[in-house]
Amino acid sequence: MTSIWTYTFKNLPSTSKWALGFCVRPLSCSSQLRAGPAVQTKSKKTLAKPNLRNIVVVDGVRIPFLLSGTSYKDLMPHDLARAALLGLLHRTSIPKEVVDYITFGTVIQEVKTSNVAREAALGAGFSDKTPAHTVTMACISSNQAMTTAVGLIASGQYDVVVAGGVELMSDVPIRHSRKMRKMMLDFNKAKTLGQRLSLLSKFRLNFLSPELPAVAEFSTSETMGHSADRLAAAFAVSRREQDEYALRSHSLAKKAQDEGLLSDVVPFKVPGKDTVSKDNGIRPSSLEQMAKLKPAFIKPYGTVTAANSSFLTDGASAMLIMSEDKALAMGYKPKAYLRDFVYVSQDPKDQLLLGPTYATPKVLEKAGLTMNDIDVFEFHEAFSGQILANFKAMDSDWFAQNYMGRKTKVGSLPLEKFNTWGGSLSLGHPFGATGCRLVMAAANRLRKEGGQYALVAACAAGGQGHGMIVETYPK
């Protein structure tokens, strides 16, 4: 009997194996969603390392994250990035000439400003002698910008780096078809009337079909929403649980917004329009209303809907990162230390959104910490199903042993410490800018709640992920 079961199990597709492993232990998050406030923690050891420079976040800001197609729709990405840079300059009063380097993350690049960091820096009034570059790593692009800054400072190359990210989903590049592009390029090279007429004779109406950008994996051709739906099914996460989690995110974000806790948001006077001062995607609903929505990706039986998914968002963020010595010499009181970080990669087909599960134990072990040492968790919320699937994977010995090469599970995530000021589901998710928001939320929550360590984690397209430890700066 055992051998038959083993043979059958081994020959199942990977997602079916997950379903068998988890359907007997369905997630019960309803009671956890109502968990009370976190208990203030006692001071622990610092993570400072001998002979290594301490890297600090002096402060960070973001312009309001808005639903695509709203107030930012007539702007360009560098306009948003410039506004974030100007907001950071105003918040910190850092002299522009002191900044050694600028790096920004973005995902869907505007072809006219492919190095958006440079264009934004020039637009914000930084010296043309200040270098700037742009990085891309899907939804962890600004995470990469931050860790690039950490590397530049830790290696002694620079003392002051601005890192940030930007995304403008209101105006994404839409291309001609490849056949049309080829014809246009060949037509431009044609030297005689006969050559031009010959090319025109090959034209067909279907050449005019545009190529639209899609949030899909190049290697699998699967949209991220479709993958999230499969992941939720594999981990036996119900539609009700996903809606409950989304409602939690929106409710906590609304509470944080009303109480003035989202202090990283700076107002932005949109040219030709009114000043925008707060995120506009925070919309607490009801489970009854959410239940009326139809599946967005796998129809008609899928569980991922518009209500339990992050929405297309426009926004930008920026952070001032310095060596501790330089910050103190300039009279700054930093908000936090940036400590250990890791990047991970998995199978982009069946483990596309499990980056946090793989990154969390690695970064904790690297820092010499445990889950119990963490006072604040800030994870990127791409989809409710993605978050809840990560919860289950991290709390499973079976998953740890069969997929992670670990003897024991990572551990359960305490919701009373998790994304308590909302997350990407409610605040919005400008692909290239979310990483900075996560770190600033972690730093600000640590100061507000009296904690010492935060763990920031995020998944990204390509089956990649990021994890980082943030330590509060002593008061």
Coordinates of all heavy atoms in Angstrom, one line a residue, residues 183 187 190-203:
M183 N 9.1 46.5 -41.2 CA 8.8 47.2 -42.5 C 9.2 48.6 -42.4 O 9.7 49.2 -43.3 CB 7.3 47.0 -42.8 CG 6.9 47.9 -44.0 SD 5.2 47.5 -44.6 CE 5.5 46.0 -45.5
F187 N 11.9 50.4 -44.6 CA 11.4 51.5 -45.5 C 12.3 52.7 -45.3 O 12.6 53.5 -46.2 CB 10.0 51.9 -45.1 CG 9.3 52.8 -46.1 CD1 8.7 52.3 -47.2 CD2 9.3 54.2 -45.9 CE1 8.0 53.1 -48.1 CE2 8.7 55.0 -46.8 CZ 8.0 54.5 -47.9
A190 N 15.3 52.2 -47.3 CA 15.2 52.1 -48.8 C 15.6 53.4 -49.5 O 15.3 54.5 -49.0 CB 13.7 51.8 -49.1
K191 N 16.3 53.3 -50.6 CA 16.9 54.4 -51.2 C 16.2 54.8 -52.5 O 16.3 56.0 -53.0 CB 18.4 54.2 -51.5 CG 19.2 54.0 -50.3 CD 20.7 53.7 -50.6 CE 21.5 53.5 -49.3 NZ 23.0 53.3 -49.6
T192 N 15.5 53.9 -53.1 CA 14.8 54.2 -54.4 C 13.3 54.1 -54.2 O 12.8 53.4 -53.3 CB 15.3 53.3 -55.5 OG1 14.9 52.0 -55.2 CG2 16.8 53.3 -55.6
L193 N 12.6 54.7 -55.1 CA 11.1 54.6 -55.1 C 10.7 53.1 -55.3 O 9.8 52.7 -54.7 CB 10.6 55.5 -56.3 CG 9.0 55.4 -56.4 CD1 8.3 55.9 -55.1 CD2 8.6 56.3 -57.6
G194 N 11.4 52.4 -56.2 CA 11.1 51.0 -56.4 C 11.2 50.2 -55.2 O 10.4 49.3 -54.9
Q195 N 12.3 50.4 -54.4 CA 12.4 49.7 -53.1 C 11.3 50.0 -52.2 O 10.8 49.1 -51.5 CB 13.8 50.0 -52.5 CG 15.0 49.5 -53.3 CD 16.3 50.0 -52.7 OE1 16.4 51.1 -52.1 NE2 17.4 49.2 -52.9
R196 N 10.9 51.2 -52.1 CA 9.8 51.6 -51.2 C 8.5 51.0 -51.6 O 7.7 50.5 -50.8 CB 9.7 53.1 -51.2 CG 10.9 53.8 -50.5 CD 10.6 55.3 -50.3 NE 11.8 56.0 -49.8 CZ 12.6 56.8 -50.4 NH1 12.3 57.1 -51.7 NH2 13.6 57.3 -49.8
L197 N 8.2 51.0 -52.9 CA 7.0 50.4 -53.4 C 7.0 48.9 -53.2 O 5.9 48.3 -52.9 CB 6.8 50.7 -54.9 CG 6.5 52.2 -55.3 CD1 6.5 52.4 -56.8 CD2 5.2 52.6 -54.7
S198 N 8.1 48.3 -53.4 CA 8.2 46.8 -53.1 C 7.9 46.5 -51.7 O 7.2 45.5 -51.4 CB 9.6 46.3 -53.5 OG 9.8 45.0 -53.1
L199 N 8.4 47.3 -50.8 CA 8.1 47.1 -49.3 C 6.6 47.3 -49.1 O 6.0 46.5 -48.3 CB 8.9 48.0 -48.5 CG 10.4 47.7 -48.3 CD1 11.1 48.8 -47.7 CD2 10.5 46.4 -47.5
L200 N 6.0 48.4 -49.6 CA 4.6 48.7 -49.4 C 3.7 47.6 -49.9 O 2.6 47.3 -49.4 CB 4.2 50.0 -50.0 CG 4.8 51.3 -49.3 CD1 4.5 52.5 -50.2 CD2 4.2 51.4 -47.9
S201 N 4.1 46.9 -51.0 CA 3.3 45.8 -51.5 C 3.2 44.6 -50.6 O 2.3 43.8 -50.7 CB 3.9 45.3 -52.9 OG 5.1 44.7 -52.7
K202 N 4.1 44.5 -49.6 CA 4.1 43.4 -48.7 C 3.3 43.7 -47.4 O 3.1 42.9 -46.6 CB 5.5 43.1 -48.2 CG 6.4 42.6 -49.4 CD 7.9 42.4 -48.9 CE 8.8 42.1 -50.1 NZ 10.2 41.9 -49.7
F203 N 2.8 45.0 -47.4 CA 2.0 45.3 -46.2 C 0.7 44.6 -46.1 O 0.0 44.4 -47.1 CB 1.7 46.8 -46.2 CG 0.8 47.3 -45.1 CD1 1.2 47.5 -43.8 CD2 -0.6 47.6 -45.4 CE1 0.4 47.9 -42.8 CE2 -1.4 48.0 -44.4 CZ -1.0 48.2 -43.1

